[in-house]
Amino acid sequence: MDKTNEQLGVRTEACSEIETITAQGELNATESFSRTSMSRYMTLLFATACGLAVANIYYTQPLLDSLASEFGMSNSSIGIVITITQICYALGLFLLVPFGDL
């Protein structure tokens, strides 16, 4: 029971500190955060990396017939391989993107 009261005391102190900061005005509350921006080079690098990562999944679609004959697979089997690749990419986005909010 005492442990819970200690935790509540910490939370109360943290809440009162936040209220004090916001009571001083919006400008003072946002000053504590550092504002950084990316350079144009980094923005271009990230945009290129994202574009290539997404395009990489679709590069094999025009080659499906060639891949099927090269590996001795039927067209439906090779299509499933590409579909699984796209599903796994979407699943990865679904699971990893929320970590960017942490």
Side-chain angles (χ1 to χ4, degrees), residues 63-69 72-82:
L63 304 171
L64 287 178
D65 289 332
S66 300
L67 288 172
S69 64
M73 299 174 74
S74 67
N75 287 338
S76 61
S77 297
I78 201 74
I80 293 292
V81 171
I82 302 304

Side-chain angles (χ1 to χ4, degrees), residues 41-59:
Y41 173 74
M42 286 299 285
T43 305
L44 181 63
L45 179 68
F46 282 174
T48 304
C50 290
L52 289 174
V54 172
N56 193 30
I57 321 172
Y58 299 104
Y59 287 152

Side-chain angles (χ1 to χ4, degrees), residues 19-58:
E19 289 172 3
T20 306
I21 291 172
T22 55
Q24 292 175 357
E26 189 175 329
L27 184 61
N28 291 337
T30 57
E31 284 179 351
S32 63
F33 298 108
S34 63
R35 295 179 186 225
T36 58
S37 61
M38 290 184 359
S39 66
R40 285 182 174 232
Y41 173 74
M42 286 299 285
T43 305
L44 181 63
L45 179 68
F46 282 174
T48 304
C50 290
L52 289 174
V54 172
N56 193 30
I57 321 172
Y58 299 104

